[in-house]
Structures are given as C-alpha cells and as structure tokens.
C-alpha cells in the first residue's frame, strides 16, 4: 500500500484526503455566481484567457439563472444518485469568485454554510483579483469553515502566458500565494499541460516550480480547445501540436514523480463539455485516461514524489538486479536499513556488511 492511499493509488487523491479528514465520501457541488473577470471587463484586459469558454470555466457548474439554493440542490441531487451518503464542499467555480462586491460575496459564501452537510468552501479565482479587504475577510472565513482558494497559474513560462492572454504575471501569482499562506489559507493551484508550443520539459518545470511553494494541492488539466474561443482561432491558424493520450500520460507521470507526496492531486485530467470540444477527442474518455496513468506508474514502479530521493531510484535498480540466492555486499551498514533491504532480496543467499563504526556493527 502506498503513502496517502487506501486503494493502492500511487498518488495522493482528493478522495483519500477527504475520507481521511471526514471519514465519509465528500463531493464538490459546483456553483455559478454569475460574476465576471478582470480579464474580460477591461480592468486587466478584454476577451479573457484564450482557452476560456463562455461559461468562464464553469461548464459543469450550476445555472446562473437559478438562485444559489436551487443550483446547489440540483447539482447535489444529481451527484447523490452516485453517492447517496456523501457530504459536500460548496465549490464556487465559474469565472472569478473573489471579483465582486464584498458584501455580496460574503452573503453567498455564508449562505452555503447554512445548508445541511456542507463541510467547507472552495473558491476559484485569479491571483490578481483578491483585494486586501477580501483577503482579510477570507482570513475570518477560514476560521469558520474548511476554506480552500483555487488559483489559476497554468504555466510559469512568460511567452506562453502572453500567448494565452492570461493577464497576470508570475510575480503577481507568487505575491498572492504568499499572502494567502501567511493567513493559513489552503491553496490549490491549476496548471495546464499541452499548452501551445510548450515542450515536455517546460511542463515538468511548471510542476517542479510548485514544489518550492508549499502548496496544498494541484489540479492538472489537459488543454482542450473549445468552440467559439480565441484558442480555436489560434489552432486553426497555427495548427500547433495537440498532445496524444500517450504523451499526456507520460508527462503527467513525470510530473507526479517530481511532486512532493503531501500535495493533494485534486484533478489529473480535463473534463470538457463534449458538445463544445474541438480537440483532443480522447479527453472524452476521462476514466480511460486515469487508468492509463495508473498503469504507467505501475509499469515504471514509481509513485508521487519518487524522483525527489535518489535512494528510491537506486533501490529500484537494485531490486531489479538482485536475485534470491545472490551474494551481495553492503559497504556501509550504518543503521542497518539497507542491509535489511538487501537481505530481503537475497533471502536464500548472503549479505556481507562492512562498517568502521562499532555502533553500526
């Protein structure tokens, strides 16, 4: 059994995190406050990020024409068919959910906390859309409930940031992340693989960068091109490479191997609205992609955080070489952990151990 897993998953799933914390199944209820975005209304830019749909990345959130309670009940009741005994996290998903009148935001955030079996709140937003006043309120809200802020980063690469019309800088992201962490507010960061003209190494660099930031969780998405977006026009013009399912699987496994084991993997593939999807079509097989990732990690015999210790790789190599009746040498016994490891592999053979310290012997 792997660390942070009760299903032999090789990475730290959100489902496991919630079950350990609340001792029950927990699912998110996605909501839509009908807000806008500073990258759409002219404050930072117009048109939004090139990949963003008309729903503001809230394709599966509630209908903004319904009031909050109606949205919540509709989504909750639908998901309850699959998980009848679950409890909930209210997820403010569509558009930028700290970008609005603070009194209005307070009212909506605190309304959902009155709903039965709501355990906490997740708020999706941008790093450039949390005012100091809002930040101070979030600090107070964090004392009342299980609060998580979801920040879109997507990439650390400046050229891609500009191409996508993200409208914020890496410095702005770092500043906001630190402010949230200084107030002990949990942060989940979104990244996208397969962005136009990015190499595999660039995508891995984005994941590695987040290891240095002590984030609580990550969402890994595959870029999907949707109808009626600027990204669709760019794709038609440039015909940039779209990752194959096999390429995406390979990259995600590399990213997982380089992510700290305590970072919760909130999402590991995209989930586009099928009717609006241009490319890639393989994304419609969500569970197939997840199974491919599981199989690839098993094939590699690796897991989340594997590459962060050279000892993991050396033990893997030794395990593949040493047979049960071999004679092997441990040149420095130390505390004996590696000697025991070798003895288990060569259980019908012999381990010869050396050390200059009497305590080790």
């Amino acid at each position: 059994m792997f660390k942070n897993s009760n299903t032999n998953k090789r990475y730290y799933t959100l489902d496991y995190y919630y079950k350990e914390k609340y001792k029950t199944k927990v699912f998110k209820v996605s909501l839509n406050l009908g807000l806008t975005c500073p990258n759409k209304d002219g404050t930072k830019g117009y048109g939004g990020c090139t990949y963003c749909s008309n729903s503001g990345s809230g394709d599966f959130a509630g209908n903004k024409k319904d009031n909050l309670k109606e949205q919540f009940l509709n989504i909750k009741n639908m998901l309850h068919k699959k998980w009848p005994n679950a409890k909930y996290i209210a997820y403010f998903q569509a558009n930028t959910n700290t970008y609005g009148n603070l009194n209005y935001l307070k009212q909506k955030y605190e309304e959902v906390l009155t709903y039965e079996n709501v355990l906490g709140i997740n708020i999706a937003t941008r790093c450039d859309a949390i005012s100091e006043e809002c930040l101070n309120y979030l600090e107070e809200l964090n004392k009342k409930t299980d609060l998580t802020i979801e920040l879109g980063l997507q990439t650390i690469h400046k050229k891609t940031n500009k191409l996508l019309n993200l409208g914020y800088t890496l410095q702005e992201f770092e500043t906001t992340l630190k402010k949230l962490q200084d107030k002990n507010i949990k942060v989940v960061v979104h990244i996208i693989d397969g962005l136009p003209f990015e190499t595999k190494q660039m995508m891995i660099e984005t994941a590695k960068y987040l290891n240095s930031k002590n984030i609580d969780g990550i969402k890994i998405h595959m870029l999907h091109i949707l109808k009626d977006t600027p990204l669709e026009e760019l794709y038609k013009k440039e015909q940039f490479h779209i990752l194959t399912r096999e390429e995406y699987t390979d990259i995600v496994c590399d990213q997982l191997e380089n992510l700290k084991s305590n970072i919760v993997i909130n999402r590991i593939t995209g989930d586009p609205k099928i009717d609006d999807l241009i490319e890639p079509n393989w994304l419609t097989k969500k569970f197939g992609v997840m199974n491919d990732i599981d199989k690839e990690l098993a094939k590699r015999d690796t897991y989340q955080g594997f590459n962060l210790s050279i000892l993991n790789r050396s033990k893997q190599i030794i395990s593949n070489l040493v047979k049960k009746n071999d004679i092997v040498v441990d040149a420095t016994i130390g505390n004996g952990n590696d000697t025991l490891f070798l003895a288990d592999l060569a259980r019908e053979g012999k381990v010869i151990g050396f050390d200059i310290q009497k305590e080790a012997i």
Side-chain angles (χ1 to χ4, degrees), residues 198-217:
E198 285 206 350
T199 64
K200 174 182 176 179
Q201 186 57 40
M202 291 169 74
M203 299 173 214
I204 294 170
E205 285 169 1
T206 293
K208 285 182 174 180
Y209 160 84
L210 290 172
N211 263 344
S212 67
K213 299 303 174 184
N214 296 318
I215 62 171
D216 298 279

Side-chain angles (χ1 to χ4, degrees), residues 139-172:
E139 182 179 23
E140 294 304 312
L141 184 64
N142 190 45
K143 297 172 183 177
K144 298 179 184 178
T145 191
D146 184 355
L147 175 65
T148 299
I149 299 299
E150 298 193 14
L151 288 180
L153 172 61
Q154 320 316 351
T155 179
I156 62 169
H157 301 288
K158 189 174 181 179
K159 189 174 180 179
T160 313
N161 179 303
K162 184 176 181 180
L163 180 67
L164 297 176
N165 191 41
L166 296 183
Y168 53 79
T169 65
L170 186 59
Q171 182 60 54
E172 285 178 297

Side-chain angles (χ1 to χ4, degrees), residues 2-213:
F2 295 94
K3 184 178 180 180
N4 296 324
S5 175
N6 56 4
T7 57
N8 220 31
K9 281 280 191 182
R10 293 170 179 256
Y11 56 91
Y12 191 179
T13 68
L14 183 62
D15 183 64
Y16 178 80
Y17 169 79
Y18 281 143
K19 283 179 178 174
E20 285 294 295
K21 185 168 186 175
Y22 293 113
K23 311 305 178 187
T24 188
K25 173 67 181 178
V26 176
F27 62 75
K28 291 182 182 180
V29 179
S30 297
L31 304 168
N32 188 339
L33 291 179
L35 299 171
T36 184
C37 170
N39 203 25
K40 290 181 177 179
D41 68 4
T43 302
K44 294 293 288 284
Y46 293 98
C49 305
T50 61
Y51 54 77
C52 197
S53 65
N54 291 329
S55 66
S57 299
D59 295 310
F60 298 100
N63 188 335
K64 64 182 180 182
K65 294 179 181 178
D66 296 335
N67 65 47
L68 195 60
K69 188 63 174 287
E70 290 173 330
Q71 289 186 40
F72 184 88
L73 292 175
N74 288 338
I75 301 292
K76 182 204 81 169
N77 291 338
M78 179 177 65
L79 293 174
H80 251 312
K81 294 175 183 178
K82 186 174 182 180
W83 300 296
N85 300 313
K87 296 184 179 180
Y88 333 110
I89 298 292
Y91 179 26
F92 294 94
Q93 181 183 22
N95 287 297
T96 306
N97 291 282
T98 56
Y99 188 63
N101 179 275
L102 185 56
N103 288 330
Y104 174 78
L105 296 175
K106 285 181 181 180
Q107 178 190 344
K108 298 303 178 184
Y109 297 159
E110 296 186 22
E111 178 183 336
V112 294
L113 293 179
T114 67
Y115 301 165
E116 186 177 8
N117 289 327
V118 170
L119 302 174
I121 297 175
N122 277 35
I123 300 172
T125 189
R126 291 167 54 96
C127 62
D128 57 355
I130 306 178
S131 67
E132 289 299 322
E133 185 182 22
C134 182
L135 186 65
N136 291 333
Y137 166 71
L138 293 175
E139 182 179 23
E140 294 304 312
L141 184 64
N142 190 45
K143 297 172 183 177
K144 298 179 184 178
T145 191
D146 184 355
L147 175 65
T148 299
I149 299 299
E150 298 193 14
L151 288 180
L153 172 61
Q154 320 316 351
T155 179
I156 62 169
H157 301 288
K158 189 174 181 179
K159 189 174 180 179
T160 313
N161 179 303
K162 184 176 181 180
L163 180 67
L164 297 176
N165 191 41
L166 296 183
Y168 53 79
T169 65
L170 186 59
Q171 182 60 54
E172 285 178 297
F173 170 82
E174 292 180 346
T175 298
T176 298
L177 177 64
K178 185 175 187 307
K179 286 180 178 180
L180 290 165
Q181 291 176 329
D182 286 347
K183 294 183 181 297
N184 296 314
I185 297 172
K186 294 192 293 294
V187 179
V188 170
V189 179
H190 295 217
I191 65 172
I192 299 177
D193 289 337
L195 292 171
F197 313 112
E198 285 206 350
T199 64
K200 174 182 176 179
Q201 186 57 40
M202 291 169 74
M203 299 173 214
I204 294 170
E205 285 169 1
T206 293
K208 285 182 174 180
Y209 160 84
L210 290 172
N211 263 344
S212 67
K213 299 303 174 184

Side-chain angles (χ1 to χ4, degrees), residues 211-225:
N211 263 344
S212 67
K213 299 303 174 184
N214 296 318
I215 62 171
D216 298 279
I218 189 171
K219 282 188 173 181
I220 303 174
H221 300 260
M222 169 60 198
L223 178 72
H224 44 268
I225 301 170

Side-chain angles (χ1 to χ4, degrees), residues 226-286:
L226 301 177
K227 295 176 183 176
D228 302 321
T229 61
L231 187 63
E232 180 189 9
E233 295 303 313
L234 180 65
Y235 179 61
K236 287 178 178 178
K237 179 182 177 182
E238 300 289 344
Q239 289 294 301
F240 55 82
H241 177 64
I242 302 295
L243 295 180
T244 65
R245 182 162 154 173
E246 293 74 20
E247 287 172 328
Y248 180 74
T249 298
D250 176 64
I251 290 166
V252 169
C253 289
D254 282 1
Q255 289 172 324
L256 290 173
E257 289 171 354
N258 286 289
L259 285 172
K260 293 177 182 176
S261 61
N262 64 340
I263 295 175
V264 182
I265 311 302
N266 282 235
R267 179 180 285 273
I268 205 162
T269 183
D271 197 12
K273 194 173 181 181
I274 296 174
D275 292 342
D276 294 335
L277 183 64
I278 302 291
E279 287 283 1
N281 289 322
W282 56 260
L283 261 182
T284 61
K285 308 293 185 182
K286 174 182 176 181

